[in-house]
Amino acid sequence: MKPKNQLEEGGRSSAPVQRDAGEPEKKCPNCHKDIPLSRLWANDLVCSCGYHFRMKARQRIQMITDKGSFHELYPNMKADNPLNFPGYKEKLETVRVASSEKEAVVCGTAAIGKQKCCLFVMEPYFMMGSMGSAVGEKVTILFEYAVQHRLPVIGFTVSGGARMQEGLLSLMQMAKISAAVKRHSDAGLLYIAVLTDPTTGGVTASFAMEADIILAEPGATVGFAGARVIEQTTRKTLPEGFQKSEFVLKHGFIDSIIQRSSQKKYLNELLKMHGGGL
């Protein structure tokens, strides 16, 4: 078809928009496009195709809480090497530098739309948010603090599960945190969990799925064992999208899927609705 006017004539052959040659980009694993980091940051690390990139704990805290309202609790609590696992001490030192965190969870109090709450956010860049003794202790005493001060708890989970370098001590955290969650519930207080990619292993098998309201981000992997292990064990082909948040929602394990851009408003409305309790 021939162009009808000068505007159309230049439309197809016009030069593409030039980007800053020095600006770093990140490739989206879903649409495979290179996205300038400035645009990605402006959109809360969400691609235009809807893919949610993993977000550091403090970035998420900044996004979800009222400015200046977050007060960190237990910042110096960190893992040791109780089993003298070979290379574990060196690995901890490496990930502390890489993630700028002392442990795989950040805990504190904050306000979300002027609604006060306790908050824990797991750090994906600290051994993929794996749950060791220090993580379990921090989350447990945060729930105890919430009971003492009559506050709801909001938790953002991301984890590969229990930390194998701490063996049984890591697995024991599942029961310990679950007991603290039960005491918080018995006190009539609200607990909301937001599952992000991935939430798996012992975290899924305990406090991630024990909340009064369970939310998830789009496309997040939610499950216990990995899909490959399940297929090898059952010797059956798993359905498409197995363990994605949309599949988990369809089968009744979570309550809703919330886009990152809507999470602060959504959580604020839930907190106001419940007044901190149930």
Side-chain angles (χ1 to χ4, degrees):
M1 296 178 65
K2 293 182 179 181
K4 296 179 180 179
N5 54 49
Q6 190 175 5
L7 182 62
E8 283 192 3
E9 189 173 10
R12 293 183 184 275
S13 59
S14 58
V17 177
Q18 297 297 316
R19 296 172 178 166
D20 182 351
E23 182 177 7
E25 297 176 334
K26 193 165 187 175
K27 184 180 287 292
C28 175
N30 183 52
C31 67
H32 307 294
K33 292 182 179 178
D34 292 321
I35 314 162
L37 285 186
S38 59
R39 187 189 304 171
L40 201 56
W41 275 88
N43 202 32
D44 295 325
L45 293 179
V46 179
C47 179
S48 57
C49 71
Y51 179 81
H52 284 51
F53 286 86
R54 288 170 187 160
M55 178 177 272
K56 290 177 69 67
R58 294 188 191 273
Q59 294 170 351
R60 193 177 291 278
I61 291 169
Q62 185 178 8
M63 178 193 77
I64 211 75
T65 63
D66 298 349
K67 187 176 181 180
S69 68
F70 180 71
H71 174 68
E72 188 172 359
L73 299 173
Y74 333 118
N76 296 317
M77 191 176 295
K78 58 184 181 180
D80 198 359
N81 189 6
L83 303 182
N84 292 319
F85 193 93
Y88 183 38
K89 184 176 180 180
E90 292 75 18
K91 187 174 183 66
L92 286 173
E93 292 173 354
T94 300
V95 295
R96 280 172 185 150
V97 172
S99 66
S100 301
E101 297 294 346
K102 293 182 179 179
E103 253 306 330
V105 68
V106 179
C107 299
T109 59
I112 300 176
K114 298 182 180 179
Q115 299 294 313
K116 193 173 181 182
C117 64
C118 284
L119 180 69
F120 70 86
V121 183
M122 303 188 78
E123 173 58 67
Y125 296 102
F126 193 108
M127 298 179 70
M128 190 47 74
S130 57
M131 180 177 60
S133 301
V135 169
E137 182 67 10
K138 289 181 76 169
V139 176
T140 297
I141 58 179
L142 181 72
F143 272 96
E144 292 173 346
Y145 180 96
V147 172
Q148 183 181 356
H149 293 85
R150 302 293 302 171
L151 291 171
V153 174
I154 294 177
F156 285 83
T157 62
V158 54
S159 182
R163 196 174 297 176
M164 66 173 188
Q165 293 89 343
E166 296 185 28
L168 184 61
L169 295 174
S170 177
L171 295 175
M172 289 168 62
Q173 306 310 310
M174 297 167 62
K176 184 169 77 174
I177 299 174
S178 296
V181 172
K182 180 64 165 58
R183 289 193 292 270
H184 185 262
S185 178
D186 289 344
L189 298 169
L190 176 67
Y191 169 35
I192 303 172
V194 185
L195 316 184
T196 73
D197 184 58
T199 296
T200 59
V203 171
T204 303
S206 57
F207 62 92
M209 304 301 284
E210 293 171 344
D212 302 299
I213 300 172
I214 305 174
L215 310 175
E217 289 192 331
T221 298
V222 179
F224 180 60
R228 189 185 310 168
V229 174
I230 295 173
E231 283 192 327
Q232 290 173 349
T233 303
T234 63
R235 297 185 180 181
K236 292 182 179 179
T237 301
L238 298 173
E240 186 177 352
F242 180 74
Q243 291 187 329
K244 290 299 180 183
S245 54
E246 291 78 8
F247 185 94
V248 178
L249 173 66
K250 183 179 178 181
H251 289 78
F253 284 90
I254 61 177
D255 297 302
S256 189
I257 295 173
I258 308 299
Q259 296 277 347
R260 193 170 287 170
S261 59
S262 304
Q263 288 174 10
K264 183 173 182 178
K265 181 180 179 182
Y266 197 93
L267 290 171
N268 171 250
E269 290 174 352
L270 288 176
L271 290 173
K272 286 194 295 185
M273 187 184 303
H274 291 283
L278 290 174

